[in-house]
């Protein structure tokens, strides 16, 4: 121990080089109505969903993933997808998105006029089969068909990779598998790529490697992260992503959510938690904490239990 | 949105520059017996403390802060300081340390032959008064007296700054105040400097700024962090510190601890949590999780309640 201890002998003058890509503004996409609700046993009323969307918009949310065009029997919470898309408050400043996995889903999305479709493929073959009945390769082919068609329509397109870090069924997911998927999806011309830590097992070093390699494929296309917080590592992961210039993250009220097809998937990043964390570092989200609190109280009444604002470890 | 989105236009090739100072081995100092226990209502038996120390050493702990030489009436949990230091298992590979705030404390430490004294001064004047009855300046003068005397003795010396980031009583603590304290303490020739986030309110950007400025004062002298986890930000803070090459952190079993003089001070970083987190990134701690579990079970029986291994957010 003692004077010789500094492990590398290297140093960072001021450390600013760690922070020079950190954005001054971060975009938080609220996915409460989709990822938050899909594994709840209670199916919310359409009116409740719409009122929640309104509160979140009033609180400053400008992007919202509201539903999934999937089989209503498979995910009852999303059975009202068409009606919800029609009832949501129209705001030119707000982008509503919906998950789409196949041609039928795209037809439904186009019919409702939702602003953006989100087309995701899982990097875990086992999880893909468990989720959609199809492996990664088949799901990718289907996604490419959807994306090719959607590109000709007047709809925004976002793509993403589910289980882009690890999987409760398969364990670690190889970086090459993720890069291949990102490349294949990016070639279809989407406006944004989301990497999802569906199992909540990513660590900061994985985030660094995967975000950096994804960024090199994507060029200037927007890159976002969907982080679950199974282990309490999500804010550390978010911090590393910020250092790589990532400025868009999915969040839910009270950290609600998981995935009905992924055993033990933990909640999403809680929006209160992210807003306070970023705020402490002077990073603006445009979100009003008071407004969020109103949303959280409403959601707690709707799901019939207390949710954590997510401030304690 | 869309192609123009990448916020800065800059990019990191591979992102490796964010990780090049991250140490391959991290030293975890167990402070369960001191910071963990001092705010417990139950005062542990000497035998229990000694058996806990033994378990932690068997689990791989090589540095342990075991007590504080303070007035026994003020901190009853530390009243057995002399006896504890004499009963601890002697191991040449283990460094035991004890907090010392004044000349009397130093006399007691020297008499017991504890390996290392830890001399801390609070950067928060209000917290310093609440803790010791003396403001920062007076405490520093007293610490300097202790350090000058200790330098002539055969005892290792560690120094540190309490409330080096924020304070529940004073709010944010200015970087200059911390730098001044670090400089003054460093000049006394200590072997290590610890920055303590006593209130658990530090954020990664603060860590970056303060660690970098502290490093520039310290040169190659070992720098360590004592992080509390009031908000669930501690692992993000730890990650940023790793990126600056910090390789020594204080931890407790089950995250036990706080400070009896700091209202709402949250628990310490839980050792299980840190070992798992670092292990996932391939960073070695030399700690055996099975052995830790034995320690946690014992401690739970001693304090009479369940403690969290700290794995959930």
């Amino acid at each position: 121990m003692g004077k010789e201890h500094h492990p590398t002998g290297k140093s960072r003058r001021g450390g600013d080089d760690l922070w020079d890509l950190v954005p001054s503004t971060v975009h938080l996409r609220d996915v409460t109505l989709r990822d938050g609700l899909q594994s709840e046993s209670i199916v919310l009323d359409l009116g409740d969903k719409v009122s929640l969307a309104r509160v979140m918009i009033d609180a400053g949310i400008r992007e919202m993933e509201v539903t999934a065009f999937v089989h209503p029997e498979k995910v009852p919470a999303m059975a009202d997808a068409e009606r919800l898309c029609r009832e949501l408050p129209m705001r030119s400043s707000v982008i509503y998105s919906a998950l789409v996995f196949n041609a039928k889903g795209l037809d439904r999305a186009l019919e409702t006029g939702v602003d953006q479709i989100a087309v995701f493929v899982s990097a875990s073959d086992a999880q893909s089969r468990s989720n959609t009945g199809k492996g990664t390769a088949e799901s990718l082919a289907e996604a490419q068909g959807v994306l090719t068609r959607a590109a000709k329509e007047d709809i925004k397109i976002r793509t993403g990779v589910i289980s882009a870090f690890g999987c409760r069924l398969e364990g670690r997911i190889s970086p090459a598998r993720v890069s291949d998927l990102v490349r294949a999806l990016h070639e279809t011309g989407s406006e944004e790529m989301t990497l999802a830590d569906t199992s909540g097992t990513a660590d900061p070093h994985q985030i660094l490697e995967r975000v950096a390699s994804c960024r090199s494929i994507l060029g200037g296309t927007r890159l976002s992260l969907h982080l679950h917080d199974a282990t309490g590592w999500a804010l550390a992961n978010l911090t590393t992503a910020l250092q790589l210039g990532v400025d868009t993250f999915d969040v839910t009220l009270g950290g609600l959510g998981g995935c009905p097809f992924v055993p033990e998937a933990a909640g999403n990043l809680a929006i209160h938690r992210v807003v306070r964390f970023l705020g402490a570092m002077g990073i603006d989200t445009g979100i009003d904490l008071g407004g969020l609190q109103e949303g959280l109280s409403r959601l707690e009444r709707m799901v019939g239990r207390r949710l954590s604002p997510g401030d304690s470890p």
Side-chain angles (χ1 to χ4, degrees), chain A:
Chain A
M1 225 103 13
K3 303 255 178 213
E4 80 289 2
H5 193 81
H6 190 211
T8 62
K10 290 184 271 182
S11 72
R12 294 188 178 278
R13 235 171 313 149
D16 294 338
D17 45 342
L18 290 181
W19 218 251
D20 59 1
L21 294 188
V22 171
S24 57
T25 300
V26 158
H27 308 279
L28 300 180
R29 176 167 39 231
D30 179 48
V31 300
T32 306
L33 293 180
R34 204 280 303 168
D35 200 22
L37 291 178
Q38 75 177 11
S39 48
E40 286 294 304
S41 54
I42 292 175
V43 175
L44 256 57
D45 287 340
L46 182 65
D48 281 346
K49 291 185 181 180
V50 172
S51 81
L52 204 58
R54 194 167 281 123
V55 171
M56 296 309 282
I57 291 167
D58 289 347
I61 288 289
R62 290 296 168 262
E63 295 180 59
M64 206 177 290
E65 190 177 281
V66 291
T67 192
F69 288 103
V70 289
H71 199 293
E73 280 171 21
K74 208 166 176 203
V75 189
M78 306 290 121
D80 61 3
E82 279 86 352
R83 289 188 298 139
L84 177 63
C85 289
R86 293 199 185 97
E87 296 293 329
L88 287 166
M90 290 298 279
R91 298 277 191 285
S92 59
S93 58
V94 176
I95 296 172
Y96 295 116
S97 62
L99 286 187
V100 162
F101 289 97
N102 52 32
K104 175 109 186 348
L106 177 60
D107 290 339
R108 293 170 66 193
L110 290 170
E111 209 176 327
T112 58
V114 70
D115 301 310
Q116 183 182 61
I117 55 166
V119 180
F120 279 67
V121 177
S122 176
S124 157
D125 210 58
Q127 195 239 315
S128 183
R129 280 180 209 288
S130 150
N131 200 342
T132 66
K134 292 165 187 165
T136 297
E138 203 181 343
S139 295
L140 174 61
E142 189 151 30
Q144 287 169 317
V146 167
L147 292 164
T148 306
R149 262 187 63 209
K152 297 171 193 145
E153 304 282 348
D154 179 27
I155 195 162
K156 293 177 188 295
I157 299 169
R158 177 159 63 92
T159 52
V161 178
I162 299 170
S163 294
F165 300 90
C167 168
R168 299 274 173 190
L169 302 168
E170 284 196 21
R172 292 234 160 180
I173 299 291
S174 90
R177 237 200 288 175
V178 177
S179 299
D180 288 349
L181 270 181
V182 165
R183 198 172 290 108
L185 290 168
H186 178 58
E187 281 169 1
T188 61
S190 80
E191 294 168 15
E192 176 178 346
M193 181 71 61
T194 303
L195 296 183
D197 179 22
T198 312
S199 59
T201 55
D203 63 63
H205 191 245
Q206 269 191 310
I207 295 282
L208 187 156
E209 285 187 330
R210 232 144 277 196
V211 166
S213 94
C214 194
R215 168 65 69 220
S216 73
I217 296 167
L218 295 178
T221 298
R222 190 194 216 193
L223 173 62
S224 53
L225 289 183
H226 176 95
L227 300 171
H228 282 246
D229 205 11
T231 47
W233 303 357
L235 285 186
N237 291 337
L238 178 142
T239 304
T240 304
L242 290 174
Q243 292 175 327
L244 290 153
V246 175
D247 72 346
T248 305
F249 299 88
D250 287 355
V251 291
T252 65
L253 270 169
L256 192 74
C259 176
F261 308 108
V262 181
E264 295 173 60
N268 286 274
L269 259 180
I271 180 165
H272 279 84
R273 217 176 153 206
V274 177
V275 170
R276 289 203 185 103
F277 181 65
L278 295 176
M281 297 188 281
I283 299 169
D284 184 41
T285 57
I287 309 284
D288 169 55
L289 280 167
L292 276 193
Q293 196 49 49
E294 165 65 19
L296 186 65
S297 303
R298 283 191 189 213
L299 182 61
E300 285 179 336
R301 285 196 296 274
M302 293 171 191
V303 299
R305 69 175 195 279
R306 298 280 294 173
L307 297 168
S308 164
D311 270 337
S312 36

